[in-house]
Amino acid sequence: MSFSRFAYTKHRGVQLHSGLILVLAVTEDGKTLATGGKRFEAKGQMYPDPSQARRPHDVLYFGTQSGTWACWRRGDDGFEETFSKQITTSGEITGLSFDPSKNILCICSRSDIVQAWKILKNSVNGKWSASSIFSNEIAGLAPRAITFAGFDSSGDRDIVAFGSGHNGPVATLSGSTGKWKGDWMAGGYISSADVDWKEGVLCLNDPYFGPGLFRLADEAKARSFEVPTETDGEPYTTDACFGEKGRLIVAGSDHGIVYVFDARSGETIQKLDTKKSKWVKAVTTAEVAGVPTIFAAHTYRDEGYQDIFVWKRAQSSLIGWYQVEIFLKTLVVLGCVAFIYQNLVSAGMIQKIVFKLPRAIYGK
């Protein structure tokens, strides 16, 4: 564990969660956690296999394996479905991203479909609906994740889709038309993606080699992070994401360990043990009441009951390792100063050197 950080400690999570957990999404304030998996129920209505979930404020957007995406909004009695849409071609929805500044949702599916929708509220009856902006098929991309990028010269916000090919295709699309604008190859299989636009970095998780940190400016890999695999055969896909405002990278594994890395140095800061050698696909992070928090869940292939884990970074008024490190460095500096004073100044060495320098310079 790094000496400059407090450790993450386990807090109460959720036990005996019914059904396979494939994704976790948490609100910005950390007060609400959404899960997606084999079962996803609300007021008796069931959606099979939601594979992604995003909830800005009081809204939850999610997609299903059958190609349906839906919007739920929080009411007085909990979440209620506002509307649902079927994409043009049936196929698992693998990624969603919401732009709250323009109320636009973009989605992608395993069947190469990329869509953008404008979320609207009727001024007369107050009902919410979705209006299609575009729906395009990007042949051969098979996107695994999608997100919004920066604004271009026309004022449109580009969309970035991350393909599932072995070379890791990353495509940039027009936010207004969905047309292809360019692409680059990450050089590995992509199982999940997370972007920190403020820091200009991208985290792509490769189930064969672990997460990789890429610079957006030159699309080059800056660092790799090793997550070992213990299961024979094809590796399980896992999520990796940023934490602590881009300072950490957090990744799941196939053996019950959640790995926490320092994004700059690549150092393994901590290994969070779930105490069961089980597949941990879904991980996410948030700040709960200002405290950095990590969420993760078991993903049993035989379904049954799963556990959701919560770790919070220790907040202590006691002296931590970082303070000890600073204290020790200060002692070393003070010791050096004391040595110089005792051995040079007090002995008159400094004065002798000062008075002899001019004679040496002028040759006298």
Side-chain angles (χ1 to χ4, degrees), residues 178-214:
K179 299 298 184 182
W180 177 90
K181 297 180 69 174
D183 60 19
W184 58 280
M185 298 296 176
Y189 186 84
I190 298 175
S191 64
S192 70
D194 195 14
V195 184
D196 187 333
W197 296 107
K198 183 178 180 181
E199 296 295 328
V201 289
L202 165 68
C203 175
L204 297 179
N205 195 29
D206 186 330
Y208 292 90
F209 301 104
L213 184 69
F214 292 79

Side-chain angles (χ1 to χ4, degrees), residues 292-343:
T293 306
I294 296 172
F295 302 86
H298 279 148
T299 308
Y300 299 167
R301 284 199 178 277
D302 54 0
E303 298 190 42
Y305 293 101
Q306 321 290 321
D307 293 326
I308 299 176
F309 301 90
V310 178
W311 294 274
K312 293 184 178 182
R313 199 180 75 177
Q315 304 289 301
S316 175
S317 59
L318 300 176
I319 295 177
W321 281 114
Y322 178 71
Q323 286 82 354
V324 171
E325 183 181 16
I326 296 298
F327 178 71
L328 293 176
K329 288 180 178 179
T330 303
L331 283 181
V332 172
V333 173
L334 290 176
C336 292
V337 172
F339 175 83
I340 293 173
Y341 180 82
Q342 182 178 1
N343 292 276

Side-chain angles (χ1 to χ4, degrees), residues 10 12 26 100 223 247 273 303 337:
K10 188 177 178 182
R12 183 179 178 181
V26 65
R223 187 167 289 105
R247 290 189 289 270
D273 194 350
E303 298 190 42
V337 172

Side-chain angles (χ1 to χ4, degrees), residues 267-284:
E267 176 188 2
T268 302
I269 294 175
Q270 205 170 350
K271 298 178 182 179
L272 305 176
D273 194 350
T274 66
K275 305 301 182 183
K276 291 184 179 180
S277 183
K278 297 289 185 178
W279 179 27
V280 178
K281 179 190 182 299
V283 297
T284 190

Side-chain angles (χ1 to χ4, degrees), residues 34-45:
T35 68
K38 285 285 185 177
R39 298 185 180 94
F40 203 101
E41 301 180 11
K43 296 188 177 298
Q45 191 169 9

